[in-house]
Amino acid sequence: MSDEYVKDVFVVNRWILRCAGLWKPSTDAKLVQIPYKIYAIVVFLFVNVYFTSTEFLSLFYTHKNLYNFIKNVNFFLTHFMGAVKVIFWFFKGHVLRDLMGTLESPEFHYEACGGFQPGQIWRKYRRIGFKYSLGFLTLAHMTLSSSYIPPFLTVVLNPPPYQNGTVSPFYQKLPYFSWMPFSYSTPGTYLLALGYQAGPMFSYAYSIVGMDTLFMNIMNFIAAHFVILQGAFASSKMRVLDMNKEMKKNCRHLQTILRVSEDLERVHRYLTLGQLTATLFILCTSLYLISTTPASSKQFYAELVYMVAMGFQLYLYCWFGNEVTLMASEVPVNVWKAEWYDCDLSFKKNMIFTMTRMQKPIYMTVGKFAPLTLQTFVYVSPLGHFLPRMLQNFDSRFSELHIRFLQ
């Protein structure tokens, strides 16, 4: 039955965006809405405007040291794209919210019949979106933790000794150079500087992960609708008596999802181009930083985790875009599988028109320059050859844990 469809398939994306100050709480209570608005304004002004500007100024202080300069450029590009995504959300967020509403609408729900189980398909794709959204958020936390936990523990567990009743000179470096409005030459002020720097970093993580996983999950559920449409076309005669009425419903459903794909591509393609350009630059420069850092140092592992996180981000863009293309390409075959032999001429015409329309591939693109596919990922990414295999292992392990949890 249609009630097999789970609701609120974007719940994890809404939660991440809410932590970033980009999605209002569902309650109308003023005691919740007013503090949240204040929080959202503070995050936008302090993190996306003020702190991003200071990161740009920091580039002028580190240009004489190649390692620090490259590292600062990478962080600035990452956070600058995060600020761009926040601004994009303010201007185009309503389009994404409308697309989410269309994909979650019960208008095109189908009853289960035989091997066609749309509710199970829906739950499968919800699980995929949930898994990769939380996986990306976890990787972002790992990246930041690998940079900020070691210096925090160093200062807390091994404070500088006292000499003549005062603390000896303190020269601990921050995880990366950024302009500070105060000196941090003592353990107390250093911990304050660490928090001053880490706070915006975690805020950037939630806004970047929230916007990226929302884009990915919208593509994920576009692919889910194409999979459901495959089954709906192929099982038409098994499920209903009026084949013409069902064909019209399926065609209207297909046209709606094609329009959602076109709207998402139209509104997001240039943001995708900017993100992938920045990500490729960061991946290449991260390889350089890793090659110049001793393998036994803390910086080596911090840079490695950061590079893997950026590669994972690029991979998810391409993987979910590839799923949309693949699932859409299977629709004509399943239209043909419908038992159309004894149907009237109107049904056969609709079938031919649908199959002809779907001969044109459906692509999400990088600013109209290249399609978002796994082939593109392999061509352009330094991690293109081994990251897909690593994520396949992650996918199988996650499925095993999910089955054990259900048992």
Side-chain angles (χ1 to χ4, degrees):
M1 298 293 292
S2 62
D3 58 2
E4 293 178 348
Y5 287 76
V6 292
K7 298 179 180 179
D8 199 7
V9 294
F10 296 100
V11 58
V12 65
N13 307 104
R14 292 186 175 100
W15 176 79
I16 296 173
L17 288 172
R18 192 168 289 134
C19 291
L22 299 177
W23 195 286
K24 294 180 181 179
S26 55
T27 178
D28 293 329
K30 291 185 177 180
L31 290 176
V32 177
Q33 289 289 345
I34 293 176
Y36 186 81
K37 286 181 180 178
I38 296 173
Y39 167 73
I41 292 171
V42 170
V43 167
F44 176 74
L45 292 178
F46 177 70
V47 177
N48 296 289
V49 177
Y50 169 76
F51 198 82
T52 304
S53 302
T54 61
E55 284 192 308
F56 178 73
L57 292 176
S58 299
L59 299 179
F60 296 96
Y61 291 95
T62 57
H63 69 278
K64 294 183 179 179
N65 185 308
L66 184 60
Y67 181 93
N68 289 336
F69 179 73
I70 292 176
K71 191 171 182 179
N72 272 43
V73 169
N74 287 350
F75 273 93
F76 171 72
L77 281 176
T78 301
H79 300 151
F80 176 75
M81 286 306 305
V84 169
K85 289 172 185 176
V86 170
I87 295 172
F88 169 85
W89 177 257
F90 289 147
F91 287 96
K92 296 294 184 180
H94 65 281
V95 178
L96 298 183
R97 288 190 290 268
D98 289 344
L99 297 182
M100 293 163 66
T102 301
L103 292 172
E104 291 181 308
S105 172
E107 179 182 0
F108 296 112
H109 286 184
Y110 300 89
E111 293 185 355
C113 181
F116 177 52
Q117 300 290 330
Q120 291 184 12
I121 297 171
W122 200 243
R123 288 194 296 272
K124 171 188 172 183
Y125 277 85
R126 182 180 186 267
R127 189 166 62 249
I128 290 172
F130 190 86
K131 172 178 60 179
Y132 283 104
S133 296
L134 285 186
F136 192 19
L137 182 63
T138 300
L139 196 54
H141 277 278
M142 288 174 59
T143 303
L144 293 172
S145 298
S146 65
S147 296
Y148 286 94
I149 290 180
F152 174 81
L153 293 177
T154 299
V155 175
V156 172
L157 300 179
N158 299 297
Y162 280 82
Q163 294 180 356
N164 300 324
T166 60
V167 178
S168 61
F170 185 77
Y171 299 108
Q172 182 74 20
K173 289 185 178 180
L174 289 169
Y176 88 104
F177 182 85
S178 64
W179 180 84
M180 285 287 168
F182 56 86
S183 172
Y184 50 94
S185 57
T186 65
T189 55
Y190 177 81
L191 291 177
L192 181 63
L194 205 63
Y196 174 88
Q197 193 180 84
M201 296 298 172
F202 280 93
S203 179
Y204 283 126
Y206 278 93
S207 59
I208 293 169
V209 172
M211 290 298 298
D212 284 347
T213 56
L214 179 61
F215 175 54
M216 297 166 192
N217 217 12
I218 291 176
M219 291 192 289
N220 179 45
F221 278 96
I222 290 173
H225 274 277
F226 281 132
V227 173
I228 291 173
L229 275 165
Q230 293 172 23
F233 277 115
S235 64
S236 294
K237 193 163 188 177
M238 187 190 310
R239 293 182 295 104
V240 298
L241 296 175
D242 191 340
M243 292 281 284
N244 281 317
K245 183 178 179 180
E246 183 67 10
M247 172 60 79
K248 290 179 181 178
K249 176 185 176 181
N250 293 346
C251 289
R252 190 168 67 254
H253 185 187
L254 179 61
Q255 290 168 0
T256 300
I257 301 307
L258 290 175
R259 186 174 65 251
V260 169
S261 303
E262 292 170 358
D263 289 345
L264 181 63
E265 157 67 10
R266 174 180 52 80
V267 76
H268 212 280
R269 60 193 178 199
Y270 296 117
L271 184 61
T272 304
L273 174 62
Q275 179 59 66
L276 265 66
T277 302
T279 300
L280 289 176
F281 177 85
I282 291 169
L283 286 174
C284 293
T285 52
S286 293
L287 281 174
Y288 169 78
L289 294 181
I290 289 174
S291 67
T292 58
T293 305
S296 59
S297 65
K298 298 175 183 178
Q299 291 83 358
F300 177 87
Y301 295 103
E303 294 295 339
L304 183 62
V305 172
Y306 180 62
M307 186 182 71
V308 171
M310 299 306 296
F312 186 68
Q313 178 190 43
L314 178 59
Y315 175 77
L316 289 183
Y317 269 63
C318 295
W319 190 85
F320 282 106
N322 193 71
E323 284 294 294
V324 171
T325 302
L326 285 180
M327 297 304 107
S329 68
E330 294 293 324
V331 171
V333 177
N334 286 274
V335 174
W336 178 260
K337 288 180 181 178
E339 297 181 23
W340 50 268
Y341 318 107
D342 55 350
C343 294
D344 60 21
L345 184 61
S346 174
F347 181 92
K348 294 175 182 177
K349 283 183 178 180
N350 285 331
M351 186 181 75
I352 292 172
F353 289 150
T354 301
M355 294 174 66
T356 303
R357 166 63 184 88
M358 295 307 294
Q359 293 302 311
K360 181 181 177 182
I362 307 300
Y363 286 120
M364 298 292 118
T365 70
V366 185
K368 290 295 184 181
F369 287 101
L372 273 180
T373 61
L374 288 179
Q375 187 176 26
T376 301
F377 176 77
V378 172
Y379 282 161
V380 303
S381 173
L383 305 177
H385 296 287
F386 74 87
L387 190 57
R389 294 182 181 179
M390 184 178 71
L391 292 175
Q392 285 177 359
N393 293 332
F394 166 76
D395 186 70
S396 61
R397 293 288 179 86
F398 183 90
S399 299
E400 292 174 4
L401 291 173
H402 187 262
I403 292 171
R404 291 178 183 175
F405 176 77
L406 292 178
Q407 292 174 346

